[in-house]
Amino acid sequence: MDTCFFIMTGNLTANPEILGEGDKQRVVFSIAAKGLGEEISFFEIQTTGKLAELCNRYLARGARVLVKGRPRQERSELKGKKHSRVVFVADEVQFLSAATKAKEVADGQAV
């Protein structure tokens, strides 16, 4: 069996977003990461469970993170046309910057 995983660092392009409800709830955010050259790529990161709660609470646009996880292909069909995309499911997120304070103050929470 083949194993596929990723490790990347980057900065959040927007505040995390909560999607779904109950057991299917997840927190999604996008990061901008620089490749080997000067090219910048954008990746959607999905988190669930306790990790999702922590990301939603402490991350904000501009925060620098290191993400470890695995890619997952999502397939769907809309109006008879098949679609496919790859999303990145985080198993671990390390907060590398202190850009989180601005979000807590904006949300009216004490630090």
Side-chain angles (χ1 to χ4, degrees), residues 49-90:
K50 184 67 173 175
L51 181 58
E53 291 175 30
L54 293 170
C55 288
N56 186 56
R57 182 170 182 184
Y58 294 110
L59 292 179
R61 180 178 182 205
R64 186 154 183 78
V65 294
L66 182 141
V67 182
K68 297 179 184 179
R70 61 198 184 290
R72 183 181 72 220
Q73 186 174 18
E74 293 183 345
R75 295 180 179 107
S76 62
E77 190 170 327
L78 183 63
K79 297 181 181 177
K81 188 172 183 181
K82 294 182 180 183
H83 298 273
S84 176
R85 71 181 190 143
V86 175
V87 296
F88 295 89
V89 180

Side-chain angles (χ1 to χ4, degrees), residues 5-19:
F5 65 93
F6 71 91
I7 300 172
M8 68 176 84
T9 59
N11 295 74
L12 271 71
T13 61
N15 289 335
E17 182 180 357
I18 300 172
L19 300 176

Side-chain angles (χ1 to χ4, degrees), residues 9-46:
T9 59
N11 295 74
L12 271 71
T13 61
N15 289 335
E17 182 180 357
I18 300 172
L19 300 176
E21 294 180 8
D23 292 343
K24 295 190 181 229
Q25 187 175 32
R26 63 195 188 281
V27 170
V28 176
F29 56 90
S30 178
I31 64 171
K34 198 180 278 191
L36 295 177
E38 292 298 313
E39 181 179 320
I40 296 176
S41 297
F42 300 89
F43 300 95
E44 180 179 300
I45 309 295
Q46 293 186 0

Side-chain angles (χ1 to χ4, degrees), residues 93-111:
V93 176
Q94 294 180 20
F95 304 165
L96 301 178
S97 70
T100 61
K101 188 174 181 179
K103 182 179 179 192
E104 290 182 350
V105 170
D107 289 346
Q109 300 174 0
V111 177

